[in-house]
Amino acid sequence: MEIVYLSDYPQYAEIVARWIFEEFVKSIRPEVTLDMVLNRIKERNKYDMPVTVIVLEGNLCLGTVSLFNNDLKNRPDLEPWLASLIVSKEFRNRGIGKILVDEIIKIAKNRGYKQLYLRTEKAVDYYKKLGWDYIEETFDDIIGQTTHIFMKNIIE
């Protein structure tokens, strides 16, 4: 397995956009299209936020995760955020999610951040298992959903 910046492997932009659209956008943001997500993905690079990495095994893209300045507009005081962690269904339960989370932690640390945040509507137990600290439950007015905020100290 190899973790690489998506911007260095643009041939995987479409699959990553489709995953993000299906998992995080389609059911809660009907005004956002797959093409809009794909265009945003194609704009990313490895120097500016948001940053997106993927894990490859041969020619297969197994999963993705991103680092955002902010992933929850009603909490502008918190940054940066781990966002859009997805592992393709057929490759789950192999530790790939943790590998991707660890890579984003490394990237955030290399950029000088001391903490990293994330939000989740579905994976509370997963992030607790990975050692993230639960901060609070809040309501996201933009998507009209309750979400849970976690934090991780990343400076040793």
Side-chain angles (χ1 to χ4, degrees):
M1 278 188 275
E2 175 182 24
I3 299 176
V4 296
Y5 286 96
L6 178 59
S7 58
D8 290 338
Y9 292 81
Q11 66 268 35
Y12 298 104
E14 198 168 311
I15 190 168
V16 169
R18 193 172 332 111
W19 286 341
I20 291 170
F21 180 76
E22 292 292 329
E23 184 69 27
F24 301 113
V25 179
K26 185 178 179 180
S27 64
I28 56 173
R29 303 277 312 268
E31 75 281 7
V32 177
T33 67
L34 175 58
D35 282 341
M36 292 166 74
V37 174
L38 179 58
N39 288 335
R40 287 187 186 151
I41 293 286
K42 286 180 176 179
E43 292 171 356
R44 296 187 184 168
N45 64 61
K46 57 184 157 190
Y47 308 107
D48 302 313
M49 298 261 244
V51 172
T52 299
V53 296
I54 57 175
V55 61
L56 298 176
E57 190 169 72
N59 290 329
L60 288 175
C61 183
L62 311 183
T64 185
V65 69
S66 296
L67 181 67
F68 279 54
N69 282 323
N70 185 280
D71 196 31
L72 187 60
K73 301 305 177 221
N74 64 334
R75 289 307 305 265
D77 55 315
L78 306 178
E79 68 173 50
W81 293 70
L82 179 147
S84 303
L85 174 65
I86 302 172
V87 174
S88 182
K89 286 182 176 131
E90 61 268 29
F91 299 107
R92 291 183 183 165
N93 300 311
R94 289 180 42 187
I96 296 166
K98 182 179 181 335
I99 290 167
L100 286 163
V101 168
D102 289 346
E103 183 67 17
I104 285 298
I105 289 170
K106 186 172 96 179
I107 291 169
K109 193 184 291 190
N110 287 341
R111 291 176 180 222
Y113 292 104
K114 295 178 180 165
Q115 293 92 24
L116 186 58
Y117 299 89
L118 67 81
R119 61 173 293 170
T120 184
E121 291 75 43
K122 303 174 188 173
V124 169
D125 291 338
Y126 179 73
Y127 289 109
K128 284 181 179 177
K129 187 175 98 177
L130 291 182
W132 287 70
D133 297 318
Y134 185 80
I135 303 273
E136 67 185 18
E137 179 180 293
T138 189
F139 190 78
D140 183 340
D141 296 328
I142 293 173
I143 64 170
Q145 269 188 323
T146 298
T147 190
H148 305 274
I149 301 174
F150 283 82
M151 192 259 316
K152 180 105 172 152
N153 284 313
I154 59 175
I155 297 298
E156 299 164 357

